[in-house]
Amino acid sequence: MNPTATELVRLLNVNGETLAVAESLTGGLVAAEITSVPGASQVFRGSVTAYATELKHRLLGVDAALLERSGAVDPQVAAQMAAGVREALGADWGIATTGVAGPDPQDGKPVGTVYVAVDGPFRQGSLSASGGKVEALRLNGGRAEIRMESVRSVLALLLAELAGEQTGNERAQDTERNGGF
């Protein structure tokens, strides 16, 4: 069991929040990692594996003109996938993966080009401004390594957001207990 996925499920449960996943190059691996954690059913709403480009538009609401102009491997596409799955599945948080695992380049992007994204209820004390966050990756290795590192990276991105919120809340509570303002 993935320790990051375990911590994500724990934090989501503590916060009373839910998660939805949109995947392309990872083909369901992110959802599999999350659902391997006992108790994931309390926080995991579901996932959409939109491997085909047109499904990113039809199921996740990614802008068709953006897909036509930039292709599926693009930071804005990742951001819109995360926001789209969050809305489509009625979750507090949405995460997404899109990229090129190989063996061949796609949309003019080399193998190992990956974008992971998170969209959620960003609050005061969060590490990100409202709207979402995208991380660009340039990964090495074979297809399997690129896919697994993409899973690890998107889970870590969400964990940083959730842990940042938890840390901010804990700091506020500690300040109140110690008479600060």
Side-chain angles (χ1 to χ4, degrees):
M1 201 170 352
N2 182 315
T4 303
T6 301
E7 182 63 5
L8 284 175
V9 168
R10 186 190 75 75
L11 285 173
L12 286 165
N13 205 2
V14 164
N15 294 338
E17 295 175 323
T18 57
L19 173 64
V21 176
E23 300 186 65
S24 186
L25 84 148
T26 50
L29 293 173
V30 176
E33 286 293 324
I34 293 164
T35 58
S36 73
V37 177
S41 62
Q42 299 299 309
V43 299
F44 187 65
R45 296 279 301 154
S47 65
V48 174
T49 301
Y51 214 63
T53 299
E54 74 270 8
L55 293 179
K56 290 171 182 62
H57 169 68
R58 195 159 25 116
L59 299 177
L60 300 171
V62 177
D63 182 66
L66 171 64
L67 290 166
E68 180 68 31
R69 182 176 64 252
S70 302
V73 182
D74 181 83
Q76 287 181 286
V77 170
Q80 288 184 22
M81 287 173 65
V85 78
R86 179 179 174 220
E87 182 177 324
L89 300 186
D92 297 300
W93 294 91
I95 57 176
T97 63
T98 188
V100 186
D104 300 315
Q106 178 185 336
D107 298 331
K109 308 288 186 346
V111 172
T113 302
V114 175
Y115 298 98
V116 296
V118 61
D119 188 81
F122 299 103
R123 294 179 280 274
Q124 196 168 18
S126 175
L127 298 176
S128 296
S130 64
K133 184 174 183 179
V134 178
E135 188 172 288
L137 309 171
R138 182 66 182 103
L139 304 175
N140 295 313
R143 183 174 173 79
E145 291 91 357
I146 290 169
R147 293 174 77 215
M148 288 312 296
E149 183 58 25
S150 299
V151 171
R152 189 203 65 72
S153 296
V154 76
L155 294 177
L157 183 63
L158 178 57
L159 183 59
E161 291 300 323
L162 291 173
E165 287 188 346
Q166 189 73 19
T167 302
N169 291 337
E170 289 167 357
R171 262 192 247 117
Q173 291 169 358
D174 185 52
T175 301
E176 289 171 9
R177 276 194 300 268
N178 291 311
F181 52 89

